[in-house]
Every structure is written in structure tokens, then in C-alpha cells.
Amino acid sequence: MDTFQTTSFADQLSAGLVTWGTTVGITLGVMLLVCYVFTAIRLGPLSAGDRIYSVLVSAVGDLLFISPRRTFAIAWLAVKESIRKQAVAGLIIFLVILAFALWFLDSETYDPSSLYISFVMNAVNYLVLLLAVLTAAFSLPNDMKNKTIYTIVTKPVRPSEIILGRILGFTAVCTIPLATMGLCSYLFVVRSLDHRHELTEADVRPIVAGPATRNVKPGSKQGSTSTAHSHRHKVTVDADGNGVTETNDSDRIEMDDAVDFHDRFGSSHWHVVTGELRDGRMVYHVGPPQGQFHARVPIKGLLRFKEADGTASKEGYNVGNWTKRGYVAGGTLSAAVFTFDGVDPNRFPEGVPLEMNIRLFRTTKEGMDKPIIGSLIIRNPITGLSSAPRNFAAREYVTLQQIIPRKLTDSKGKTLDLFDDLAVNGRVEIELQCIPRSQFFGVGPDDVYLLAREGRFDVNFLKGLFGIWLQMVLTVVLAVVFSTFLSGPVAMLATAAAVIGALLRPFIVNVVRDNLFEGKAHTGGVLESMVRLTDQRAITLELEEGTTTSLIQSIDKVLNSLLDGMFTFIPDFSALNDVNSVAGGFDISSSLLWMHTAQTLGFVLPLFLVGFIVFKLTEVAK
Amino acid sequence: MVSTAAPAASQAASPGVDGDIVIETRGLAKVYRDFWGRQKVRALKGLDLTVRRGEIFGLLGPNGSGKTTTIKLLLGLLFPTSGQAFVLGKPATDVAKNERIGYLPEESYLYKFLNAEETLDFYGRLFNLPKAVRRERTQKLLELVRVTTAKKRRLREYSKGMTRRIGLAQALINDPELIILDEPTTGLDPIGCREMKDLILDLKRQGKTVLMCSHLLADVQDVCDRIAVLHQGELKELGRVDGLLKVRDVTELRASGLSDECKTELAAVVAKHGGKLIGLDNPTTTLEELFLEIVQDAEARPGRRAASESST
Ligand SMILES: Nc1ncnc2c1ncn2[C@@H]1O[C@H](COP(=O)(O)OP(=O)(O)OP(=O)(O)O)[C@@H](O)[C@H]1O
Ligand SMILES: [Mg+2]
């Protein structure tokens, strides 16, 4: 994708591979050293070296000569085991029923699609992870306990095949319920948001002539549908009875009767209305909801701000990982400036669709339900040549859609061509301002984007499930690896702890970094905090200057970096979770999917390696 | 011991160059330790053993004498505390040796959720056998161990003896060269025992090597060529069965329909020739006698070890 934030997958991969390789290399090296030291204590340095060397050589053989038939036999056994042990089957059924009960309970209330999607997908996510922990953690320990493993390891099966086969088997076992739940939740979302409204002749009346009705075709009528799914629509139909329900508040023609304050108008979708003359009376048919589900492919821009006097903001440029919103003060020269790439006529022959989700910050109470008017100009990033300001009406939580036409005018009325005059190699600047004084716009880097195209929602849903699947695979691998050296229940608990850590990773990292590294807790690092705890020093008191203090603080520095390094070993499930994109109606790019896959493999490969070597060194008949 | 006769003495890691030696252990010892590494049991103390191709070798010993431990060490299920074990010319921990080994564990540790056919097919796949071969061998083995009628039933529903039979079939799925049987006749009915013994002899006829351990001395006596007697992890006796039994200076006389007078007469004849009549009732199994003697002797004089093979 040609945006500023996302570099290509290949670039990220090659950069990531180096860090990954170093981390894995160092970790495995340290593990090897520890193993050597322990073996050397028992056998003496030389034969320990021999032992480790021969283990490594045969481990390489184990990896190189993995037999697919044997591996799949082990995987098949894992599948059979899970299916035939009714306990697990019962559990699956229970979880599915539970999930459905939860979902159907919620189906009566009105909510936009995003809430539905994020609810069901997150439910599926947690259920599948739970299932993965429960099925995969007990298998190997049970085999050890029942000694059935004796009949496996006395066959020419390599330890690598036993571990890999189990991983594959349990992945298959858990994929089936994931697919089932995924399909059910997709149908659930689509079905439960499907609805019809009634519209009768009595609901519409002719449009009263006025300034706002200039563009209305003669004979048109206007009214409001019946309430279904806790909302209704305003609708304008022409003389033949055909029309479309309105979606956008800003387009709405003021109604002559007062709108009931508690009525909610569906703005997340629209319906097509067709009219039919039957016995001299008009009968209206309202079609199924449309435009409810999106998979927008956005082109994001680089955001910077201008101060009230028009100078560049001290906030500086957005460097990509900063997602806080900046503010644009109304009635000043303050502005949010986006630089977009990829604006070319081949991609956008019809003009450039621009979408905006702007936050409103009001400093006056008056006109709370009214939109705030803003303006935008399109500017050539090199010459500064710019279009005349175009006004828009911003409302809270409404995605504003605009098409920037190819033909624009400058402030003197001269015609400008978007692609020829304003874009330089596909790059343009779009500047947003807030018009009324003492009102503010809140704008973040993801809030304004060009709509490259609409992807398919069902495909996007599948991509979202893929992210869940990757988390599931990682959970299975963790469970299998833990179960090579822990007993069943302990392996399950360890896996559960790791999964919770992975789910909460951003939170944990933030808490630790904020408090220990950035000194927000004012107690210094680990050691300093302990010193403070023991002598109960107030947090406002500094430690006495001196060698002890500097020693404490430098040890803390080392501890902090160690602690920070530890985070590398916690996988980040939130990074694999794309539910918010699916629910927010944004397409998950394929490069992101590749990224996720690479991240998952980055954990799976070394974990597999560790698991199989641990199993190789295990005395099975102990 | 015979191990020194191996031609590859310089090449310590591969004694199996002499294709005749199937199993060889040198000073094999095992100490079971607990989680903290503290010594619990010295289950095996410096065992030297050699088993040759085509032999039926019996491991004897009272409960807890280290028979199963020896077998587990030979299979790589346990790692020796000291000493070495070579099987089919490879170190015992090398998985490649398993290609030509069949193993029947002490109890049949099989997957209870599979049926007989699936079980055999599964183990066949672990030997990387193609489907056609697996199907053919599965049918043949199910017939051999006589569970064809129950082949579609899950092992969960099997009786002990039936499970044992599937365990045996499983051990033979790869047509192994070396078969290791840990108490093969436990759980089998008399007919099953007989069949098992016939099968073992049949395997010998096919040129295969069998290592078995058992408590049933009659079984061992019937089938084994050579035996080793273990007691508390030490080798107490080693040799050919016939040789071991022959060294006893005992003449056994078996006859039926003798009257009491005849018995007194026989006793007189024995006495006349300077012999001592030990008994004249139903004869005891001689191996059993030998066994008991070894065990009693071991208990009376701990530390004595099998000096040499009685007849080689
Ligand atoms: N996993 C283990 N942990 C600790 N000690 C063990 C373990 N397995 C066996 N032992 C001990 O090692 C010794 C030898 O056991 P082993 O199973 O080899 O005996 P065995 O000759 O097969 O006996 P049996 O005739 O009863 O099968 C016994 O004292 C036993 O208690
Ligand atoms: Mg035993």
C-alpha cells in the first residue's frame, strides 16, 4: 500500500527477520549454555560437550527427516482422541450453545453492525482459545501417564514428528469449531440485522415548497417509515413511488413536523423503496437494508497541524505510531493537514472519495444537536496552489462521505484539474478547518482517508477469523510445548497464563513502562522501589546522593532493560486481532495478514524447536 | 565376557559389525532418582549381556529384580545411569533401531478409543508402511492372534487377554527381526499361553531373535535357548537352559503305575549304587528348583555374581 504509515510487507519482514533472528539466536544460545553447564556438572566438561554435540546432531536429523506419513498418523491420533473422548465433544457443544444463548439474548436491542460484529467475533475468539488450551494441554501428559507413549516411542518415530503431529492434530481439531462458530456468527450478524419497514400512503405527504426543496422533483412526497429494529427512516419518494431512505443527516431536508427526540433514525444503512399503483392507491415496498456492512480499503495520509496563527504546530509531525487526536480550533487559521499519496486518474476516474470521522468538541451548549460546519481545501504540495474551500457539516459518530470531483475551482473561480493541477506524482494536501469560533474538531491520523475501493464484507469477515485462527494455533503450540515437561493440569494453567498475558500484553507493557521506566510512579526502578518500601520514604523525597544511590539506580537500569527484554517473549494477541477493523468496516489488507502470519511463525518455530528438544531429552519411562 | 570377542573392539560405538550380536550391554546400570535427584532405587547394577541372532533369550528374576528396567533401557525408554546398551548395532537411544524391533510392554498400553483395526493401521503408519501393506498385515495379524471377530470394537471394550493379543499383533506389525516381550503370557488363557509359546518358537524358526522375560518358569523352560537370572538388579546366572539344568547331578525318573513295592525296590537299587534318593513323588519343575535355589543363594550370600556362562 502506498501510504506513509504502512511500509511494504517485504520491507517490514526483512527488518523484522533480523531482530527475530538475533533474539531467537541469543535465546537458544543461552539455553544451550545453561544445558551445557548443568550437564558439565554431572558428567564433566568434555563428555558434556560430546553429549550436547551428539544431541544437536541427532536433533538436526530429526528435523530434516520428518516423515509426513508418521506426522499425519500422530495428528490423526490427536484428532481421534479429541473426537472420541466425549468429554471434549460435550465441551464443544456446551460452548456453542452458550455462545448462541448469549448472542440471541442480545438480538432484540438496536445496535449498529459494528457492535454486533465485535461482540460475536470476540466471543468466538475467547471461546476458541479456551478450547485450544483445554484440548491440547492434556494429551501428551495423559500419554505419559497411561504409558501409551511407550508404544509410540519404541517405533521409529522421531520426537519432532510426535510434537509436530500433535500441533497439527490439535490445530485441525480446533479449526472445526472455529469454522462452525465463524459461519454461525456471520449468519447471525447478517440475519439479525436484516429487517423491513412498512411505508403506507398515510405516512407520506407532499413536500411543502420552500428554499430547501429547490432540487426536489415535482410530485415528490416525504415521510417516515414505520419503526423496525428500534429505528425508522426518513424517506423521499417521487411521483411513481420510487425512492431511497435517507442515510445522512446532513442531506436531510428539514421536516415540517417536530421530530420525536427519542426516535432513532437508522443512518448506518438505507433501503430502496419501490411504489406500485394498486386499485388507484399507492402501495410502497421497502427493500432489505443496504450498505450495512463495509470493507473499505482506505488510503491513509500523513497528518500535521497548524496553530491558530497558521504556523506549524509544536506537536510536530505524526510519525506513524502516534494515534492521539489533535485539535483544530474553530474560527482561526488552525488546521489539520493531511498529505495523501496515490491520487491518480487511473485509480479514481470518477473523482476521489474522501471519508471523515471527525470528533466534535463544543464549548457552547447552544445548538447541541446541530452539526458543526467545517471546510476543506485541496492543495498542491509543491506550488501551494489550492482549491476554493468546500464546506461540510460534521456530526458526532457519523462518517462523512464526500467525492472530491475532478474539476475544481480556485478562490477566483478559475477551473482546476485535481490530477493535473493539484496532484504532484499523485500527492495532494487536504487541509481541514473548523468554521465557528469556540468550537473544536478532533482529528487523528486514521480519521480522514481516501476510499480506494470497497472490499467484500464476507471476505473481510473471513480475514478476521484468520487472525483468530492464528492466535489459536499459537495457543495450541504453547499448550503442546508446555505439556512436554509439565503435567496436564499444570500445562493447562501455564498455557492459560501465557494466553492471558498475550491478550493483555499492551496493557501490561504500558503499566510496566509507565511506572518503572518513565518514572510516573515516582518510585524509581525495581530496586529503588524496594528500598523505598523498606524505609517507608515518601515518594516526594529523593534518595540521598551518593555511591549507593547511583549503584541502585544503575542496577535498576539493567533490571529495566532485562524486564523490557522479557516482553519480547510474550506474544501479542491483540496485534493479531483484527476484529476492530472488521467491525469498523475496514478491509484487512493482505500485507497485514502476511505480517500476522510471520509474527505467528516467529513464535511457533522456536517454540516447536524447544518443545521437541525437551521431549527428546525426556526419559519417557521415568 | 563375549563382548570382548566383538571384532570392532577399537570402535566402541558400533559393536554390531559382527552381525550375529543383536543385543549387547556393557556394565549397564540404572539408578532411579526422584525429582530432586536423590537416589531412590538401584534397579540395575552393571549388567553385561549378549544376545545372538536367532536366539530365544529369557530374563528371569523375582519381582522388582530389574527385568523390565533392562528392557526399557534396551528400548531407549530409559537412559542408563552408566554403561552402554547396543541393539541391532545401534545405541539404544537411537530411534532408527526401532525400525526392526517389535515390543510388547508389560501391560498393553494401547489407545482405548481406537478399534483393533485402527490400532494396527496406526502403528503400521508409524513404520511408514504403505497402505496396501498395512491392510494386508493387519488382516493377517488379526487372524494370527484370533481377534478377527472383534476387530471393529474399541479396545476399551476388550478383555485383558484380548488386549494382550492386540498388543502382540502390534509388536509384529513391522515384521521385526528382534522381538522383545515383557511377560508375554500374563493375562492369557491356557490355550492362549500355548499359542503364544508356539508363536515364539515359530518366530525362532523364521530366524528371528526373541528376548522375553517371564515368571512362568515352565514357559521359559519350554521355549528359551538361554536364560539370565536377575536378582535385585544383579546378574546371578547366565547360560543355556539345557546346560544349566544338566549340571545338576540329578537323575529324574518318570514312570506311572508303579506299586508301592516297586518304589521300595527302586529305592533299594539307588541305595545299592551309593546314590541318595531325593524324592520319589511327582517331580517338580527343575527350572523352578534352580530358580529358587539361585534366589535363596543370592539372599544368603549377597554379592555373588554370575561368574561365567555355563556352556557356550
Ligand atoms: N519409575 C520408577 N521409579 C522408581 N523406581 C522404579 C521405577 N520403576 C521401577 N522401579 C524400581 O526398580 C526396581 C526394578 O523394577 P522392574 O520393574 O525392572 O522389576 P521387574 O523385574 O520387571 O519386576 P516384575 O517382575 O514385578 O515386573 C524395583 O525395585 C522397582 O521398585
Ligand atoms: Mg516387570
Side-chain angles (χ1 to χ4, degrees):
Chain A
M1 265 183 58
D2 32 13
T3 63
F4 294 95
Q5 272 93 345
T6 1
T7 37
S8 78
F9 169 63
D11 287 351
Q12 277 185 312
L13 185 68
S14 50
L17 268 182
V18 175
T19 344
W20 179 79
T22 342
T23 316
V24 170
I26 290 176
T27 312
L28 292 182
V30 168
M31 280 177 163
L32 203 65
L33 199 69
V34 172
C35 286
Y36 175 77
V37 169
F38 273 95
T39 326
I41 291 172
R42 272 186 32 227
L43 304 176
L46 279 181
S47 45
D50 274 359
R51 179 67 74 81
I52 296 225
Y53 174 76
S54 64
V55 165
L56 285 183
V57 167
S58 82
V60 170
D62 286 343
L63 289 178
L64 289 182
F65 302 110
I66 287 181
S67 138
R69 187 182 273 139
R70 283 198 284 262
T71 309
F72 285 126
I74 302 276
W76 171 88
L77 187 76
V79 172
K80 274 271 150 112
E81 181 191 354
S82 311
I83 291 174
R84 297 226 175 138
K85 284 199 172 156
Q86 270 108 19
V88 177
L91 185 84
I92 294 172
I93 293 166
F94 166 71
L95 291 179
V96 170
I97 290 173
L98 185 84
F100 273 89
L102 274 173
W103 299 343
F104 281 108
L105 277 179
D106 200 42
S107 71
E108 276 306 300
T109 56
Y110 166 80
D111 272 313
S113 60
S114 83
L115 194 71
Y116 267 68
I117 296 166
S118 57
F119 180 77
V120 291
M121 287 193 101
N122 280 321
V124 170
N125 197 343
Y126 298 133
L127 286 182
V128 163
L129 295 189
L130 183 66
L131 194 69
V133 174
L134 290 179
T135 46
F138 289 95
S139 164
L140 205 50
N142 271 348
D143 260 18
M144 300 268 217
K145 208 174 70 194
N146 303 334
K147 303 187 176 170
T148 38
I149 195 78
Y150 289 13
T151 54
I152 303 286
V153 295
T154 52
K155 305 283 182 280
V157 186
R158 295 172 179 276
S160 49
E161 293 163 341
I162 294 177
I163 301 300
L164 183 63
R166 279 213 155 61
I167 290 173
L168 293 180
F170 289 118
T171 301
V173 165
C174 296
T175 303
I176 298 163
L178 172 61
T180 319
M181 289 200 273
L183 182 70
C184 291
S185 49
Y186 176 78
L187 292 178
F188 169 74
V189 166
V190 173
R191 285 285 179 81
S192 57
L193 292 178
D194 186 19
H195 61 276
R196 298 288 189 282
H197 301 273
E198 300 284 321
L199 186 67
T200 63
E201 238 183 348
D203 294 330
V204 291
R205 61 186 72 171
I207 295 173
V208 183
T213 62
R214 249 172 303 157
N215 302 327
V216 175
K217 278 191 247 162
S220 292
K221 292 180 175 179
Q222 184 172 67
S224 162
T225 65
S226 68
T227 301
H229 268 231
S230 314
H231 70 275
R232 57 198 181 110
H233 297 269
K234 288 179 181 174
V235 62
T236 309
V237 288
D238 62 16
D240 297 332
N242 298 328
V244 173
T245 65
E246 287 158 18
T247 54
N248 209 329
D249 276 359
S250 57
D251 300 340
R252 188 173 297 145
I253 298 156
E254 280 308 312
M255 301 279 293
D256 52 352
D257 52 353
V259 176
D260 181 354
F261 184 75
H262 297 289
D263 249 1
R264 281 192 273 194
F265 288 89
S267 59
S268 61
H269 62 276
W270 73 89
H271 301 263
V272 171
V273 179
T274 49
E276 187 191 346
L277 262 180
R278 213 181 272 167
D279 308 330
R281 314 186 78 218
M282 186 63 87
V283 178
Y284 297 103
H285 301 283
V286 182
Q290 307 219 349
Q292 228 168 354
F293 304 111
H294 296 276
R296 305 180 193 93
V297 180
I299 297 179
K300 290 185 183 166
L302 186 68
L303 172 60
R304 65 191 153 92
F305 287 97
K306 281 183 179 174
E307 296 281 7
D309 57 3
T311 55
S313 163
K314 287 190 291 290
E315 290 263 37
Y317 291 99
N318 165 27
V319 285
N321 57 2
W322 164 72
T323 52
K324 284 185 204 127
R325 288 194 167 78
Y327 303 110
V328 178
T332 66
L333 290 175
S334 166
V337 185
F338 282 89
T339 312
F340 290 107
D341 270 344
V343 180
D344 64 72
N346 299 326
R347 194 182 222 155
F348 300 112
E350 313 286 334
V352 181
L354 177 77
E355 299 202 344
M356 298 185 281
N357 288 294
I358 291 174
R359 289 292 167 89
L360 307 182
F361 295 91
R362 298 170 195 268
T363 52
T364 56
K365 262 195 167 175
E366 140 199 15
M368 278 297 276
D369 52 340
K370 290 251 156 47
I372 296 179
I373 306 299
S375 75
L376 60 87
I377 58 171
I378 296 105
R379 192 187 308 119
N380 182 315
I382 305 288
T383 63
L385 185 68
S386 55
S387 74
R390 299 161 57 83
N391 283 3
F392 59 87
R395 277 174 190 275
E396 197 74 88
Y397 306 119
V398 172
T399 303
L400 279 178
Q401 294 157 318
Q402 295 237 334
I403 302 270
I404 302 170
R406 183 160 185 171
K407 293 289 165 230
L408 295 159
T409 50
D410 70 4
S411 45
K412 296 188 189 84
K414 203 179 108 215
T415 325
L416 294 173
D417 184 275
L418 176 60
F419 301 118
D420 296 339
D421 299 328
L422 296 178
V424 182
N425 294 329
R427 176 173 290 189
V428 293
E429 285 183 359
I430 293 182
E431 183 169 309
L432 301 182
Q433 286 188 317
C434 177
I435 302 289
R437 212 160 235 299
S438 51
Q439 309 285 33
F440 292 84
F441 280 167
V443 185
D446 295 336
D447 292 344
V448 177
Y449 53 88
L450 309 181
L451 185 63
R453 62 189 172 81
E454 246 329 311
R456 285 181 53 173
F457 172 71
D458 46 2
V459 173
N460 206 34
F461 195 87
L462 204 61
K463 289 181 188 170
L465 290 179
F466 179 69
I468 296 175
W469 186 80
L470 288 177
Q471 296 172 49
M472 182 203 86
V473 171
L474 201 41
T475 307
V476 165
V477 173
L478 280 169
V480 170
V481 170
F482 278 131
S483 70
T484 54
F485 58 95
L486 297 173
S487 73
V490 181
M492 189 200 74
L493 287 180
T495 316
V499 166
I500 291 172
L503 286 169
L504 299 179
R505 186 178 185 273
F507 174 73
I508 297 170
V509 170
N510 272 345
V511 167
V512 172
R513 290 218 171 117
D514 279 1
N515 288 326
L516 288 182
F517 306 165
E518 318 222 314
K520 287 204 182 142
H522 306 292
T523 55
V526 179
L527 208 59
E528 188 177 333
S529 308
M530 279 188 203
V531 172
R532 283 172 184 278
L533 263 181
T534 43
D535 65 5
Q536 305 203 320
R537 190 188 302 260
I539 54 167
T540 45
L541 285 178
E542 290 291 318
L543 295 188
E544 297 84 15
E545 301 257 326
T547 37
T548 330
T549 303
S550 35
L551 188 68
I552 285 175
Q553 281 167 353
S554 31
I555 290 175
D556 272 347
K557 278 222 179 75
V558 176
L559 284 179
N560 281 355
S561 50
L562 277 180
L563 205 60
D564 207 27
M566 298 266 277
F567 292 138
T568 323
F569 297 99
I570 309 177
D572 190 354
F573 279 1
S574 69
L576 300 177
N577 185 324
D578 297 315
V579 170
N580 285 343
S581 294
V582 180
F586 289 103
D587 186 68
I588 303 163
S589 70
S590 52
S591 71
L592 192 64
L593 287 185
W594 282 115
M595 255 340 273
H596 289 349
T597 313
Q599 279 168 330
T600 309
L601 277 179
F603 275 97
V604 165
L605 292 180
L607 276 174
F608 165 66
L609 214 60
V610 168
F612 119 75
I613 292 199
V614 168
F615 184 66
K616 189 181 173 65
L617 299 177
T618 305
E619 211 171 8
V620 166
K622 190 80 185 188
Chain B
M1 291 255 355
V2 199
S3 67
T4 47
S10 57
Q11 211 184 335
S14 57
V17 182
D18 178 357
D20 247 16
I21 292 175
V22 174
I23 294 176
E24 180 176 356
T25 70
R26 294 178 197 157
L28 195 62
K30 179 66 191 176
V31 177
Y32 285 106
R33 293 176 189 279
D34 66 4
F35 179 77
W36 307 107
R38 285 178 306 198
Q39 182 168 327
K40 268 204 305 197
V41 191
R42 288 180 66 199
L44 202 60
K45 303 164 194 164
L47 178 70
D48 295 307
L49 261 191
T50 314
V51 177
R52 289 187 203 82
R53 188 169 301 279
E55 234 178 5
I56 302 182
F57 192 94
L59 269 179
L60 292 183
N63 291 129
S65 58
K67 305 182 293 292
T68 302
T69 304
T70 309
I71 287 181
K72 284 177 178 171
L73 285 166
L74 290 175
L75 287 163
L77 288 168
L78 288 174
F79 304 148
T81 309
S82 65
Q84 288 157 309
F86 295 95
V87 180
L88 294 166
K90 297 202 169 74
T93 44
D94 186 349
V95 286
K97 72 176 193 309
N98 296 342
E99 208 75 65
R100 296 182 287 159
I101 296 182
Y103 166 52
L104 173 68
E106 212 166 0
E107 284 160 47
S108 304
Y109 306 124
L110 299 169
Y111 291 95
K112 302 248 183 295
F113 51 86
L114 299 179
N115 67 34
E117 244 177 3
E118 287 170 334
T119 303
L120 294 186
D121 189 70
F122 168 67
Y123 289 113
R125 281 200 267 172
L126 296 187
F127 282 103
N128 223 342
L129 299 175
K131 194 177 177 103
V133 178
R134 289 195 319 258
R135 192 176 302 155
E136 182 214 305
R137 284 202 192 158
T138 301
Q139 292 317 324
K140 226 176 64 192
L141 286 170
L142 285 175
E143 269 160 40
L144 181 75
V145 299
R146 298 182 202 285
V147 281
T148 332
T149 46
K151 66 182 183 186
K152 294 282 182 209
R153 282 165 63 194
R154 304 230 182 123
L155 299 195
R156 187 191 315 265
E157 304 164 7
Y158 272 34
S159 73
K160 190 176 175 197
M162 286 161 86
T163 322
R164 200 83 190 130
R165 286 157 188 262
I166 298 297
L168 178 68
Q170 164 275 133
L172 298 176
I173 190 80
N174 57 326
D175 192 18
E177 261 170 61
L178 167 65
I179 298 114
I180 298 181
L181 306 168
D182 198 342
E183 298 181 23
T185 50
T186 45
L188 292 181
D189 55 21
I191 304 170
C193 285
R194 184 73 257 158
E195 283 170 354
M196 175 66 85
K197 283 189 272 184
D198 289 346
L199 179 82
I200 293 171
L201 290 170
D202 200 44
L203 290 170
K204 178 188 160 77
R205 232 163 284 132
Q206 293 169 31
K208 302 190 187 300
T209 314
V210 179
L211 172 73
M212 60 179 277
C213 70
S214 180
H215 294 128
L216 298 174
L217 300 164
D219 294 356
V220 176
Q221 193 178 357
D222 285 352
V223 297
C224 289
D225 298 321
R226 284 202 308 149
I227 55 166
V229 181
L230 288 174
H231 183 260
Q232 291 184 355
E234 283 181 41
L235 183 64
K236 292 296 180 187
E237 197 66 72
L238 178 74
R240 296 196 60 81
V241 172
D242 40 12
L244 278 176
L245 299 180
K246 225 177 280 165
V247 290
R248 311 286 102 187
D249 183 20
V250 172
T251 312
E252 194 180 46
L253 180 89
R254 289 172 62 141
S256 62
L258 291 188
S259 65
D260 279 347
E261 297 113 83
C262 180
K263 283 185 192 168
T264 354
E265 236 172 276
L266 276 173
V269 171
V270 171
K272 195 179 111 194
H273 291 279
K276 180 174 170 277
L277 187 68
I278 299 166
L280 206 80
D281 352 285
N282 302 338
T284 42
T285 316
T286 29
L287 183 58
E288 186 172 322
E289 222 162 62
L290 169 68
F291 180 79
L292 290 174
E293 196 178 303
I294 291 169
V295 172
Q296 276 155 11
D297 182 51
E299 251 135 47
R301 287 184 295 146
R304 188 189 79 88
R305 309 193 58 155
S308 66
E309 279 193 71
S310 321
S311 97
T312 316

